[in-house]
Amino acid sequence: MKLTSKTQKSAKSENQRKIADLLRLKGRVYVRLANEEIGRRFLRDAEREGFTFGDGAKPTEREYSDIFAVNRDMTINYVGFVGHIAFSGAKKTGGERLFRVDYEKYSENEKDYMVK
């Protein structure tokens, strides 16, 4: 069977990792968004999967930022100054292991998507 570009796109979206899959990690998850395009994609993907902000707002109703926290209760939140410092090298935050994810690599199914 020959894959057309439409078929390839459909197959890719079916196999694309989900943000909710990150909740399986045992610890705190911060997601880096390299630019506005990736940021807006993350917000659309999060909304499609049922994530909201803590106050119930839909992700696409808010502006993107360079780092978001993904929470076990299917919420996302902005990461402030201290979170940015933690993202730049901390192994733990709030007593939990910190997982730093490059969303562009993660969403494109790259094997090495953790920020080192």
Side-chain angles (χ1 to χ4, degrees):
M1 174 180 162
K2 184 177 178 183
L3 292 177
T4 64
S5 101
K6 186 175 182 179
T7 313
Q8 288 172 336
K9 197 176 253 186
S10 175
K12 182 179 178 186
S13 64
E14 287 176 17
N15 295 326
Q16 183 177 349
R17 292 177 174 135
K18 299 197 179 317
I19 297 167
D21 294 339
L22 293 169
L23 301 177
R24 295 182 189 142
L25 297 170
K26 303 291 185 210
R28 196 83 172 106
V29 178
Y30 285 3
V31 177
R32 178 179 68 192
L33 308 169
N35 56 49
E36 186 173 356
E37 179 184 342
I38 301 300
R40 294 196 184 287
R41 181 181 353 146
F42 170 78
L43 294 171
R44 284 190 308 268
D45 292 348
E47 187 169 313
R48 188 179 63 248
E49 290 184 40
F51 283 87
T52 63
F53 281 89
D55 64 359
K58 293 180 179 181
T60 59
E61 294 174 350
R62 301 272 170 87
E63 292 297 315
Y64 100 101
S65 184
D66 59 336
I67 301 173
F68 277 92
V70 178
N71 306 303
R72 290 181 196 99
D73 64 356
M74 295 291 289
T75 62
I76 59 173
N77 62 270
Y78 293 105
V79 172
F81 177 74
V82 174
H84 277 78
I85 292 172
F87 190 88
S88 52
K91 303 261 189 258
K92 288 187 170 192
T93 184
E96 292 184 275
R97 181 172 176 194
L98 178 59
F99 293 94
R100 298 171 296 161
V101 175
D102 179 318
Y103 190 69
E104 182 174 21
K105 290 179 178 180
Y106 180 77
S107 66
E108 293 176 359
N109 292 327
E110 290 187 28
K111 185 178 179 180
D112 189 22
Y113 60 85
M114 290 291 185
V115 176
K116 295 184 171 54

